[in-house]
Amino acid sequence: MDKYDLAHATVREILTEMKDISEIMVDLAYASIMFDSEEIAEEVQNLEEDMEELSKSIRTKAMLSARTHKDAAKLSSLLEVAAASRRISNAAGDIVKLMECEVDKRPFLTFILREAEEKIKRLVLADASDMVGRQIGDLGVESETGMRIIAIKRGKRWIYDPEEENKLKAGDTLIVRGTDDGFDVLRSFANGEEKWPVYPDEEEEED
Amino acid sequence: MDQLDEMLLELKDSSELMIDLAYSSLLYNNKEIAEEVILMEEMLDELANDIQRQAIARAMQDRDEGKAFTVIKLAAAVEEISDAAMQIAMVTIHDDEPHPVIRLSIKDADTTITLAEIKPGSDLIGKSLGKMRLASQSGMWVVAVKRDRKYLYGPEKNAVLELGDVVISRGPPDAEKYFQDLCSGEERLEEP
């Protein structure tokens, strides 16, 4: 995740960041339960703290930017949206608190999460995969397979919500979210069975 | 899965759909979708209550408070997510026009929302979402379909798209154009 420069960030940037973080937190929270990972749970708690900072910052900035009554009214609903993101992040924080429950009381949760519409799964990147050495954004993993990489475990290290520029390495464990068939497609690329598709006539999209 | 598990699963899946719908309502200033979020929130409130009640009843029967505790906590957390969705939907309902920055922020996010109409010649006509594997093929997840004047929220895998449907979906910004082009018929679906 970007370390944002909060002092200079705009209201728009902070709101985007809050939306992104709140969503990745929910995914990570379910992933922590699914894979019984204290480490992922800890990251969710860290993100919850980041959210608090963002939340304070967006309020201050919004207040400073209101010049008229109308401005203030519109900004106050923008702050409602920010507050809702924060609420989602608190809920994610509550979900990881379930990790404190006795381990043998949780297996049914894993079982339930396996049946969800969009699932959280993991796979390992094989040496033979042509995804190895390439950037996530460059591959367009999510647009190609519908699977979002929510975390990567590389050796002992975790990378949460990896950036587009992040290069994949052989042996990486990817924690992903999406549909079953999306997972099958991604797995066939990740174990080297299928070649990552190349679109020769691909054009750079304009911003 | 027993009944309680299924209820929990429904609570979870619905809470996520509500978030997507809530952001869609904001992005398109669509009060009808926002109203649906409010309705869903009421339903999920009931569902969460039922789940919690059943969990307690079971704990009394099996003398196992551990599982009930976990279920009750989880249901409360997921319900909180649905409350957050309602909070977003309320902004759509109360504001004539949401602050433009809100829309820009949603568009800039890692996961955004897009809307497209199914035009003549589109590959998506007459096939079910599951069969054409739309989510994995396009990277976009359909959250609602508007057909004539009616909305279909959170369509199932077996839902079939028709000419003229307006499809609202969620996904990464770089998948948006391909999805739009699939709907307009400018792009073809890859053969599985």
Side-chain angles (χ1 to χ4, degrees):
Chain A
M1 189 156 308
D2 266 335
K3 268 296 152 200
Y4 26 79
D5 178 3
L6 254 190
H8 297 103
T10 61
V11 166
R12 171 179 172 183
E13 284 163 346
I14 300 174
L15 190 61
T16 301
E17 191 71 24
M18 289 180 81
K19 176 180 187 298
D20 288 344
I21 297 182
S22 68
E23 286 166 16
I24 198 81
M25 279 179 75
V26 173
D27 288 339
L28 288 174
Y30 286 127
S32 77
I33 301 233
M34 191 104 198
F35 305 120
D36 199 21
S37 166
E38 302 272 350
E39 286 165 301
I40 301 180
E42 241 168 67
E43 172 67 9
V44 172
Q45 282 160 350
N46 293 338
L47 288 172
E48 208 178 344
E49 283 167 26
D50 289 356
M51 270 306 250
E52 220 158 295
E53 287 301 309
L54 288 166
S55 178
K56 270 185 214 155
S57 168
I58 200 169
R59 280 200 302 265
T60 320
K61 282 174 199 260
M63 283 179 185
L64 288 172
S65 71
R67 287 189 172 75
T68 62
H69 189 273
K70 206 178 150 210
D71 266 5
K74 286 223 164 184
L75 281 162
S76 109
S77 41
L78 184 147
L79 290 178
E80 276 292 297
V81 179
S85 294
R86 170 120 186 266
R87 202 166 182 179
I88 295 170
S89 99
N90 288 345
D94 289 345
I95 293 172
V96 298
K97 285 205 191 92
L98 292 175
M99 296 291 287
E100 291 159 14
C101 300
E102 303 125 279
V103 175
D104 63 323
K105 301 301 179 197
R106 277 189 267 123
F108 78 99
L109 288 180
T110 308
F111 194 67
I112 293 172
L113 293 174
R114 267 191 217 139
E115 300 297 320
E117 282 192 337
E118 285 187 288
K119 297 172 186 127
I120 292 170
K121 297 190 175 192
R122 62 180 160 190
L123 48 78
V124 177
L125 210 55
D127 293 325
S129 169
D130 58 1
M131 294 168 72
V132 170
R134 296 185 59 189
Q135 295 182 355
I136 295 172
D138 180 33
L139 290 166
V141 174
E142 194 179 357
S143 50
E144 188 58 45
T145 65
M147 302 303 288
R148 166 105 189 255
I149 302 176
I150 57 174
I152 299 173
K153 187 164 195 202
R154 181 169 296 160
K156 285 193 173 169
R157 206 161 70 90
W158 280 93
I159 304 163
Y160 301 101
D161 193 15
E163 294 290 316
E164 301 226 310
E165 296 76 37
N166 227 298
K167 271 191 191 163
L168 297 171
K169 291 191 176 163
D172 280 355
T173 299
L174 311 182
I175 311 260
V176 293
R177 187 210 60 207
T179 59
D180 281 325
D181 55 274
F183 183 75
D184 292 342
V185 173
L186 182 61
R187 192 171 45 190
S188 65
F189 293 132
N191 62 22
E193 259 171 55
E194 296 277 346
K195 288 263 160 268
W196 195 269
V198 185
Y199 303 102
D201 53 5
E202 232 167 41
E203 281 173 77
E204 287 290 304
E205 267 180 58
E206 285 170 358
D207 271 357
Chain B
M1 279 211 299
D2 63 25
Q3 199 201 353
L4 188 58
D5 292 351
E6 267 168 31
M7 287 160 73
L8 258 179
L9 186 58
E10 194 191 327
L11 190 69
K12 173 194 180 285
D13 284 339
S14 308
S15 70
E16 283 162 30
L17 173 62
M18 283 176 68
I19 296 286
D20 292 335
L21 290 175
Y23 281 122
S24 309
S25 79
L26 259 186
L27 188 60
Y28 300 112
N29 192 19
N30 186 318
K31 303 206 171 7
E32 200 177 343
I33 297 178
E35 293 287 355
E36 174 67 18
V37 175
I38 311 291
L39 278 180
M40 285 179 77
E41 199 276 331
E42 283 164 18
M43 273 156 41
L44 289 201
D45 258 359
E46 295 269 320
L47 184 60
N49 285 341
D50 286 347
I51 289 170
Q52 292 173 332
R53 228 179 268 127
Q54 266 204 32
I56 294 169
R58 249 191 242 188
M60 289 167 74
Q61 203 177 42
D62 308 341
R63 303 191 170 278
D64 174 4
E65 88 296 345
K67 181 174 173 183
F69 184 72
T70 311
V71 170
I72 289 169
K73 287 275 193 189
L74 181 66
V78 179
E79 205 201 322
E80 189 68 20
I81 295 177
S82 81
D83 287 343
M86 183 173 79
Q87 192 173 3
I88 296 170
M90 285 305 230
V91 172
T92 310
I93 289 176
H94 288 146
D95 283 17
D96 295 336
E97 187 78 28
H99 198 293
V101 163
I102 298 179
R103 287 187 195 172
L104 295 170
S105 297
I106 298 175
K107 276 297 179 194
D108 285 344
D110 289 343
T111 301
T112 190
I113 306 268
T114 195
L115 176 153
E117 190 184 329
I118 309 276
K119 297 267 169 66
S122 168
D123 267 0
L124 308 185
I125 298 171
K127 283 179 219 133
S128 72
L129 296 176
K131 195 145 199 185
M132 57 192 167
R133 303 195 188 118
L134 192 58
S136 56
Q137 279 254 356
S138 70
M140 301 296 290
W141 175 263
V142 177
V143 299
V145 177
K146 187 179 188 188
R147 181 167 303 158
D148 302 321
R149 289 195 175 167
K150 276 195 148 171
Y151 276 95
L152 175 63
Y153 298 101
E156 303 280 332
K157 276 182 174 179
N158 57 14
V160 174
L161 294 177
E162 292 175 9
L163 176 65
D165 282 354
V166 174
V167 186
I168 300 177
S169 64
R170 176 251 295 156
D174 65 335
E176 218 178 322
K177 187 168 186 304
Y178 177 63
F179 183 81
Q180 297 264 357
D181 290 348
L182 275 176
C183 292
S184 70
E186 279 164 62
E187 279 277 2
R188 309 245 72 97
L189 269 180
E190 287 169 53
E191 287 303 316

